[in-house]
Amino acid sequence: MTKWCIRHRSIVAMLAIFIFVMGGYLYANMERQENPNVVSPGAIIKVIYPGATPEDVEKFIVKPLEKKVSELNHIKRLESHSLDSVGVLVVRLEDITDDEINETWNKLKDKVDNAKADFPEQVWEPEIDTELVETYGMLLTVSGDKFQFDELKVISDELKDRFERESGVAEVKIDGYEDKEIHVNMNILKMRQYNISLDQIGKMLMATNVNIPGGNMELGDTKLSVSTTGEYESLDEVKNTIVGMSEQGNVVYLKDVADVVETEKKRDVYVNSNGEKALLIAVKFSEGQNVVKVGERLNTFLDEYEKSLPEGMHIRMITDQAVYVNDAIKVFEKNLLSAIVLVLVVVLITMGWRSALVVASSIPISVMATFLFMRMTGVILHQVSISSLIVCLGLMVANAIVANDNMDVYLTRGKLNREMSIVEGIKEVRIPILTSTLTTVASFLPLLMMKGVAGKFVKTLPVLVTVALLSSYLCSLTVVPVMGHSFLKVKDDSKKSKFSGLSEYFMGKYKKILDAALKKPKVTLVSAIILLTLTGLLIPTLGMQLFPFVERDQYIIDVTTMEGSTVEKTRDVVEKIENVLDENDKVDTYLSKVGDGIPKFYPSFFPNQISSNKAQFIVNGSKYEIDNIQRKLDGTIPGARIEVKQLENAVPVGLPVQVRVSGEDIDTLRKISRDIKEKLYEIEEGKNVQDDFGFETPKIKVNVNKDKANMVGLTNYDISKTIRMVVNGIEITKIKPAHSDDDIPVILKVPEEDKNNRELLEQIYVTSSITGQNVPLNQVADIETEFSINKILRRDKDRTITTGLYPKKGYTAADVLKIVEEKLKDFEVPIGYKLEFGGENEDRTEAFESLIGPFFLSAALIYLILMFQFFDLRQPLIIMGTIPLSFIGVILGLKITGYPIGFMALMGAVSLMGIVVNNGIVLLDYINTLTKSGRDLIESIKEASATRLRPIMIGMVTTTIGLLPMGLAGGSLWAPLAYSLIFGLFVSSMLTMIVIPAAFLVFKQVKEKRKEILQKITG
């Protein structure tokens, strides 16, 4: 192959140019996003049962759902929330493939349909969300305190229509606007005066507002359609509906017994932007699009559109994925270019400009070939895919360096012509290069075995590293020799490098250290083991963190007021938080939403469920202000739980340290939870002890006397429907105004001001669906006030209360969990109840355990490759011994840089295995070559070590220097990976040059002694 390439250099050059141009073109037009796509292993089912208590929701909604959903395969966990009027079931799957997840979600929809058969008639259609990782790429607000919501809606609708026409936009929704309704506010006293019931009014409204097609008449040869009029078209028509007759025989109109008004629907959700009332516009980008370009087009339009807004109205960008993606990609592009420049500078300094040019030729071709592969396989451009190229950059160059060095050796000898020198130089090293490439691939590729969301998040890294390394191997056999044939020249030994003196100095120092190590090789090996052991003692001081927080100047504030609080009370707390934010000059913009969650805008962000006692903020401002804002809020706003927190790269787990108690009886669970909380309050390393059960709140209970009700012909349905109409109102019909295409609901209800009086229920009467008689409610029911629970939580079909706390600054969740477990080791729960610990450690343990399989598979593959390289079972063990030496560097690197042990750091440690053995391969192979030539053993070891020192050190420097930009600018997510590789490779390379010669010497000495013993036995 090499000979053909040299003889057809123009063809190779054209192919290389084609790959470079095509790769560059595809890169420029490639889809870009911040993070890889991960199919969600979780789903949420939400079912609304209007007016139902948590007990009713649990009985009639949650339990039937749990029964059907649990029949599915691959269910890992079921969690449910039974609240007033709503039931939520959270389904989490085991670690399965994306296709299996999609298949399971299809079956889930069938199971939910089956469960619907057991639901009460009043239950709304279940909502199933299986796209929990899908996000809205852009959130913006239209705000202004002096404008009505209708005026804000006009602008929002214009923006929505414009955005929906934009290529690359999948969905646009407006949040925070309530439609118009016609409220029929009934006057109970007048209704009693005219003896008109609620049911009677409802029936008359429905009967009047109908349009039944009259059919067709045939008049001669002509067919005429017949239609009737009578549908409501205006508010006055509703008011003038006849609903009964007075005792004097006068017609009673609806307006005589009710106040009929067109008004905004009762607002259960409030959106504010920088303290101003606002509407929220959420934009979801289409798949397969370059979101950066789509975002740029939308922002260009907004800049122009904003100029036409009325004074006092504002459009604020709250979050824009396109900007974050563009910034993230630019950072990693800068890191990649910096790494390339640094690597080339090192090669230029150590090898000269001609060799630097030859070596550099493999980088753009390998990178662009990887982009071609990404395009063909649908891998998009994100932080993981670019990081893959940074990780393997130094490794790609290593192949070219080895090829270049050997071509240079053959050219210097001058025994062959130029073409044959290049061909023979490549031929001699093609197998060692292949072996080192395969061992590196063997350390990365098994990372595909990693389980869970973390494994899927980084799955493109091992794939792209493999592709890039194989591309660089092919380049070293094709492009590099072509470039070498054109540019390499025979060196003049009389001209020494500027750095030759420095090189000779370090060589002298190394030889002295090596001499000392070979005089006492066993002591050298024991010293290395002791060093590894002592370094291992640092591990507990590093701390553990699965994934770090997202490093952007944007954070979340979660607000929870007391259970049962009205949305108005929660708004009061939110206004106080807004005042604190307004006073902080480090806060740029913020969005608040009361009563419902903010649309999902980041994969690991989970919005609040609908609840009047909850609110959420997105704040754009310095993340370093989070602690200050938390302290200020804690000190000035009592009566609410307020959590200021950064976005997370991992799925949030709620309380970092959890103690869960499961069982049947709520009162028993609450007692156990209180006892646990008393124990947790004593833990000084923790703070904010809390549980997820909440508090009991007062409720009005209508106890129906079934005997009395049956005697007057009333059913439970009659009573429940009437109470529902009075308390919440019931939609009776809809009208379509002549000037609009939108239907307006007609709601039969009691005026809001009358609902403040508990005696209202005693004043209403119920119409029997059997006798038609109107019966006062207080004659057939007792109305009482009692305290009741607001929610029932279940985990894997058992009622569960979770109690927990947060670690104080300076402590990790793992530290506090150990203290909690020790504190509760003698804590007993009644028979039939279960206690378990959880929190961050559960997902962390799962993610860390997923690295065990790749670790052992990598070790096995590397050993097999080495076995075939050396055709020996024991010598590969010498090289494998360098792997633990790299862990010394990993631990020291994390300690020096201050990063905890996390998923990315451990992944770097696993990836190191194949990289560090390459040095051992190069060194041990040459030692074997010299010893087989009949030279003295120790002299052979010294000469081989001195000869291989330069290429091993250059390879180490190029690899580590290529990773340096990622370590410095990769943030808390990628820096631990980079520093694990940098320090691990640096330390292992240094120790390899000492330990492997000593280990080989001991190996040979033991082998000779065995020979002597066998000879004595057989002799």
Side-chain angles (χ1 to χ4, degrees):
M1 179 193 292
T2 303
K3 184 184 291 185
W4 186 92
C5 289
I6 293 173
R7 291 181 177 178
H8 299 85
R9 294 190 294 279
S10 58
I11 296 176
V12 174
M14 288 304 299
L15 288 173
I17 292 172
F18 173 79
I19 292 173
F20 181 80
V21 172
M22 282 299 298
Y25 172 77
L26 293 176
Y27 173 78
N29 294 278
M30 197 175 289
E31 179 188 355
R32 287 163 163 78
Q33 61 187 50
E34 192 170 3
N35 295 307
N37 290 323
V38 177
V39 176
S40 171
I44 293 178
I45 306 165
K46 183 166 69 176
V47 184
I48 295 177
Y49 183 10
T53 63
E55 293 92 337
D56 289 337
V57 170
E58 181 190 40
K59 179 179 179 181
F60 296 111
I61 304 297
V62 168
K63 286 186 175 180
L65 275 176
E66 286 179 342
K67 181 180 178 182
K68 292 296 182 182
V69 172
S70 62
E71 295 173 359
L72 293 170
N73 295 325
H74 310 302
I75 298 293
K76 180 179 181 179
R77 186 178 304 145
L78 287 177
E79 294 179 344
S80 68
H81 306 254
S82 300
L83 312 170
D84 282 322
S85 303
V86 62
V88 178
L89 189 68
V90 182
V91 185
R92 185 171 176 180
L93 300 182
E94 297 171 345
D95 185 53
I96 53 179
T97 65
D98 290 353
D99 290 339
E100 288 174 321
I101 291 175
N102 290 325
E103 183 182 349
T104 303
W105 292 153
N106 291 331
K107 293 179 180 178
L108 174 70
K109 294 168 184 175
D110 295 334
K111 295 296 181 183
V112 174
D113 287 338
N114 294 337
K116 281 164 49 179
D118 299 326
F119 290 171
E121 181 182 348
Q122 296 80 13
V123 173
W124 293 13
E125 185 70 18
E127 299 177 18
I128 305 174
D129 185 4
T130 59
E131 303 293 343
L132 298 186
V133 295
E134 280 198 1
T135 60
Y136 287 92
M138 183 180 284
L139 300 181
L140 62 145
T141 58
V142 180
S143 64
D145 275 338
K146 69 179 184 180
F147 296 92
Q148 299 297 318
F149 279 106
D150 284 346
E151 297 174 285
L152 299 178
K153 181 68 160 48
V154 171
I155 301 299
S156 300
D157 282 336
E158 289 182 4
L159 293 175
K160 180 176 184 290
D161 293 341
R162 173 62 178 79
F163 288 170
E164 287 177 334
R165 294 196 301 270
E166 185 68 45
S167 172
V169 173
E171 177 189 347
V172 183
K173 77 170 186 177
I174 298 174
D175 208 349
Y177 181 78
E178 298 293 353
D179 292 321
K180 295 291 186 180
E181 291 181 338
I182 292 178
H183 286 182
V184 180
N185 294 313
M186 299 170 292
N187 188 315
I188 299 296
L189 294 178
K190 287 186 177 181
M191 289 171 60
R192 296 188 75 163
Q193 177 185 339
Y194 289 112
N195 197 31
I196 295 173
S197 68
L198 302 173
D199 193 56
Q200 186 177 340
I201 293 176
K203 287 180 179 178
M204 292 303 297
L205 287 170
M206 287 188 289
T208 304
N209 189 41
V210 294
N211 184 358
I212 302 174
N216 297 311
M217 291 183 61
E218 293 185 3
L219 301 179
D221 296 333
T222 305
K223 181 183 287 187
L224 300 176
S225 61
V226 180
S227 62
T228 58
T229 61
E231 282 184 295
Y232 293 132
E233 292 186 354
S234 68
L235 183 66
D236 287 338
E237 292 179 359
V238 179
K239 292 180 179 180
N240 293 318
T241 302
I242 298 175
V243 294
M245 301 285 290
S246 67
E247 292 180 358
Q248 292 77 25
N250 297 323
V251 173
V252 179
Y253 296 99
L254 179 61
K255 62 186 177 182
D256 296 328
V257 294
D259 183 22
V260 184
V261 295
E262 182 176 326
T263 185
E264 185 185 79
K265 181 181 178 182
K266 182 182 177 183
R267 186 168 287 276
D268 295 322
V269 175
Y270 290 87
V271 176
N272 275 11
S273 175
N274 277 30
E276 298 179 332
K277 68 179 179 182
L279 296 181
L280 173 63
I281 302 176
V283 182
K284 185 178 289 185
F285 297 128
S286 305
E287 289 188 13
Q289 295 289 324
N290 186 334
V291 298
V292 174
K293 292 185 176 180
V294 177
E296 287 174 351
R297 293 198 298 269
L298 295 183
N299 279 296
T300 300
F301 165 74
L302 286 173
D303 290 341
E304 289 298 318
Y305 186 86
E306 200 167 3
K307 297 175 183 177
S308 64
L309 291 178
E311 186 178 352
M313 188 179 290
H314 307 100
I315 294 177
R316 290 190 182 91
M317 187 63 67
I318 302 300
T319 184
D320 186 356
Q321 186 189 47
V323 172
Y324 289 118
V325 169
N326 193 39
D327 290 345
I329 296 296
K330 281 183 177 178
V331 167
F332 282 96
E333 286 175 340
K334 185 179 178 181
N335 289 347
L336 180 59
L337 291 174
S338 300
I340 292 174
V341 171
L342 288 172
V343 168
L344 293 180
V345 168
V346 171
V347 175
L348 181 65
I349 291 173
T350 56
M351 303 178 70
W353 73 268
R354 293 182 181 275
S355 292
L357 187 62
V358 173
V359 169
S361 64
S362 67
I363 297 176
I365 306 303
S366 300
V367 170
M368 294 306 169
T370 307
F371 288 145
L372 286 170
F373 173 84
M374 291 170 62
R375 180 66 175 182
M376 290 187 292
T377 56
V379 177
I380 60 180
L381 202 64
H382 45 64
Q383 57 176 325
V384 179
S385 55
I386 295 184
S387 296
S388 306
L389 298 175
I390 299 173
V391 166
C392 66
L393 179 64
L395 305 174
M396 288 191 291
V397 175
N399 287 341
I401 289 174
V402 173
N404 177 84
D405 266 4
N406 226 44
M407 288 189 297
D408 192 53
V409 168
Y410 271 80
L411 285 171
T412 303
R413 288 176 183 171
K415 296 179 180 179
L416 302 172
N417 61 34
R418 188 172 189 78
E419 180 181 309
M420 291 309 299
S421 294
I422 298 295
V423 170
E424 290 300 318
I426 296 295
K427 184 178 180 181
E428 186 176 84
V429 296
R430 63 185 178 186
I431 299 302
I433 291 176
L434 177 62
T435 302
S436 63
T437 301
L438 291 178
T439 54
T440 307
V441 167
S443 67
F444 279 96
L445 207 54
L447 295 176
L448 289 172
M449 294 173 55
M450 288 187 299
K451 297 180 179 180
V453 175
K456 293 177 180 179
F457 179 81
V458 298
K459 71 177 182 180
T460 53
L461 188 142
V463 173
L464 295 184
V465 168
T466 299
V467 172
L469 289 177
L470 293 177
S471 299
S472 74
Y473 173 70
L474 291 175
C475 280
S476 66
L477 302 184
T478 55
V479 176
V480 170
V482 168
M483 292 292 291
H485 186 274
S486 302
F487 291 98
L488 288 182
K489 287 188 176 181
V490 179
K491 293 180 181 177
D492 185 356
D493 292 335
S494 62
K495 295 181 181 179
K496 287 191 175 183
S497 167
K498 295 179 182 178
F499 297 90
S500 58
L502 187 63
S503 176
E504 290 174 2
Y505 171 78
F506 281 113
M507 180 63 73
K509 291 290 185 183
Y510 169 67
K511 287 180 178 180
K512 289 180 180 179
I513 296 172
L514 183 61
D515 285 341
L518 293 178
K519 285 178 181 177
K520 296 183 178 180
K522 292 181 181 179
V523 174
T524 302
L525 297 181
V526 172
S527 300
I529 295 171
I530 292 173
L531 179 60
L532 177 61
T533 305
L534 292 175
T535 309
L537 298 177
L538 295 174
I539 292 176
T541 68
L542 296 177
M544 299 185 75
Q545 184 182 38
L546 177 59
F547 279 108
F549 294 109
V550 177
E551 290 199 338
R552 62 165 67 166
D553 285 326
Q554 185 180 66
Y555 48 94
I556 305 300
I557 303 178
D558 279 336
V559 183
T560 305
T561 57
M562 186 175 291
E563 297 286 350
S565 298
T566 63
V567 69
E568 286 76 17
K569 183 176 180 180
T570 307
R571 279 189 73 200
D572 291 340
V573 174
V574 166
E575 287 179 3
K576 294 175 182 177
I577 297 173
E578 290 174 342
N579 291 335
V580 172
L581 295 177
D582 289 337
E583 293 170 0
N584 192 309
D585 57 2
K586 298 293 179 63
V587 172
D588 299 323
T589 58
Y590 61 84
L591 164 73
S592 66
K593 191 175 182 186
V594 181
D596 195 6
I598 293 170
K600 189 178 182 71
F601 68 97
Y602 193 79
S604 61
F605 168 78
F606 281 89
N608 283 336
Q609 297 294 335
I610 296 174
S611 181
S612 61
N613 72 319
K614 288 185 178 292
Q616 272 184 321
F617 283 76
I618 299 177
V619 183
N620 294 313
S622 172
K623 60 180 177 288
Y624 302 109
E625 286 294 299
I626 288 178
D627 290 339
N628 292 334
I629 290 175
Q630 182 72 70
R631 282 194 296 270
K632 187 73 178 291
L633 294 176
D634 290 342
T636 57
I637 306 177
R641 187 167 70 240
I642 304 172
E643 299 176 62
V644 187
K645 51 192 180 184
Q646 286 181 262
L647 292 167
E648 299 181 52
N649 280 300
V651 177
V653 295
L655 289 167
V657 181
Q658 299 177 4
V659 184
R660 295 189 293 266
V661 184
S662 301
E664 183 57 32
D665 183 64
I666 288 290
D667 291 332
T668 304
L669 289 173
R670 293 183 66 189
K671 181 182 181 306
I672 296 172
S673 177
R674 283 196 297 268
D675 293 341
I676 291 173
K677 285 170 75 173
E678 291 301 318
K679 297 280 188 181
L680 299 185
Y681 283 130
E682 299 173 3
I683 297 176
E684 296 180 356
E685 295 81 0
K687 63 179 181 178
N688 297 342
V689 177
Q690 56 191 263
D691 62 47
D692 60 2
F693 185 80
F695 302 94
E696 289 187 338
T697 54
K699 294 185 179 181
I700 296 175
K701 189 171 184 178
V702 180
N703 294 313
V704 178
N705 188 315
K706 294 182 180 179
D707 293 335
K708 289 183 179 181
N710 291 336
M711 287 175 62
V712 294
L714 290 178
T715 65
N716 281 342
Y717 175 77
D718 296 329
I719 297 172
S720 298
K721 180 182 177 183
T722 302
I723 292 174
R724 169 73 182 173
M725 193 180 300
V726 170
V727 176
N728 277 4
I730 288 182
E731 182 180 319
I732 296 298
T733 186
K734 291 182 178 180
I735 74 169
K736 182 170 287 187
H739 60 276
S740 173
D741 293 331
D742 297 328
D743 293 337
I744 301 179
V746 178
I747 310 297
L748 194 60
K749 60 190 291 292
V750 169
E752 292 297 323
E753 58 269 19
D754 292 346
K755 294 182 185 179
N756 296 327
N757 189 349
R758 175 182 175 278
E759 295 175 357
L760 170 68
L761 293 176
E762 297 177 356
Q763 297 175 2
I764 66 174
Y765 51 90
V766 186
T767 303
S768 169
S769 58
I770 299 174
T771 66
Q773 295 297 313
N774 295 328
V775 181
L777 177 63
N778 58 12
Q779 290 186 8
V780 295
D782 295 323
I783 303 170
E784 302 173 348
T785 301
E786 64 178 26
F787 283 85
S788 179
I789 56 176
N790 279 285
K791 59 184 174 183
I792 300 173
L793 306 180
R794 296 165 66 88
R795 182 182 174 94
D796 294 331
K797 300 194 285 188
D798 291 326
R799 287 177 170 178
T800 303
I801 294 181
T802 300
T803 307
L805 71 167
Y806 290 81
K808 285 184 178 177
K809 195 166 185 178
Y811 297 93
T812 66
D815 297 333
V816 178
L817 181 62
K818 287 180 182 178
I819 298 170
V820 170
E821 290 176 340
E822 180 65 25
K823 192 82 172 175
L824 297 174
K825 66 178 180 180
D826 298 323
F827 190 89
E828 295 183 359
V829 296
I831 296 174
Y833 291 79
K834 180 176 63 175
L835 183 145
E836 61 182 4
F837 300 95
E840 282 185 11
N841 70 302
E842 291 171 298
D843 287 337
R844 185 182 65 231
T845 300
E846 180 182 296
F848 288 169
E849 286 178 350
S850 72
L851 288 167
I852 295 175
F855 177 82
F856 286 108
L857 180 58
S858 295
L861 290 174
I862 291 169
Y863 178 80
L864 289 174
I865 294 169
L866 294 176
M867 184 182 69
F868 283 106
Q869 166 76 14
F870 293 100
F871 292 103
D872 189 278
L873 296 177
R874 287 170 293 182
Q875 284 201 32
L877 296 177
I878 298 176
I879 298 177
M880 298 287 285
T882 61
I883 293 175
L885 301 180
S886 67
F887 299 154
I888 297 174
V890 171
I891 296 168
L892 291 176
L894 294 177
K895 185 66 177 177
I896 292 169
T897 56
Y899 287 104
I901 297 174
F903 182 80
M904 300 301 276
L906 289 180
M907 192 174 72
V910 173
S911 305
L912 263 175
M913 295 170 63
I915 303 174
V916 299
V917 298
N918 290 339
N919 295 335
I921 292 171
V922 172
L923 178 56
L924 192 59
D925 180 69
Y926 197 45
I927 291 174
N928 278 324
T929 301
L930 295 182
T931 53
K932 287 176 184 177
S933 66
R935 298 188 185 185
D936 177 72
L937 177 62
I938 294 181
E939 289 303 319
S940 298
I941 294 174
K942 288 181 179 180
E943 183 179 341
S945 300
T947 304
R948 292 304 189 206
L949 178 65
R950 179 174 174 271
I952 286 176
M953 289 298 109
I954 291 176
M956 178 271 291
V957 171
T958 55
T959 303
T960 55
I961 205 79
L963 288 164
L964 195 58
M966 181 189 284
L968 295 174
S972 56
L973 180 63
W974 292 102
L977 172 66
Y979 286 129
S980 292
L981 293 170
I982 289 172
F983 283 90
L985 184 56
F986 178 79
V987 172
S988 71
S989 297
M990 296 297 184
L991 294 178
T992 293
M993 299 305 298
I994 306 297
V995 174
I996 282 189
F1000 185 81
L1001 180 58
V1002 172
F1003 170 75
K1004 285 292 187 181
Q1005 289 174 346
V1006 170
K1007 193 174 180 181
E1008 288 298 324
K1009 284 185 179 180
R1010 282 181 180 174
K1011 236 184 226 186
E1012 292 175 8
I1013 293 171
L1014 284 174
Q1015 285 177 354
K1016 288 179 181 179
I1017 293 172
T1018 56

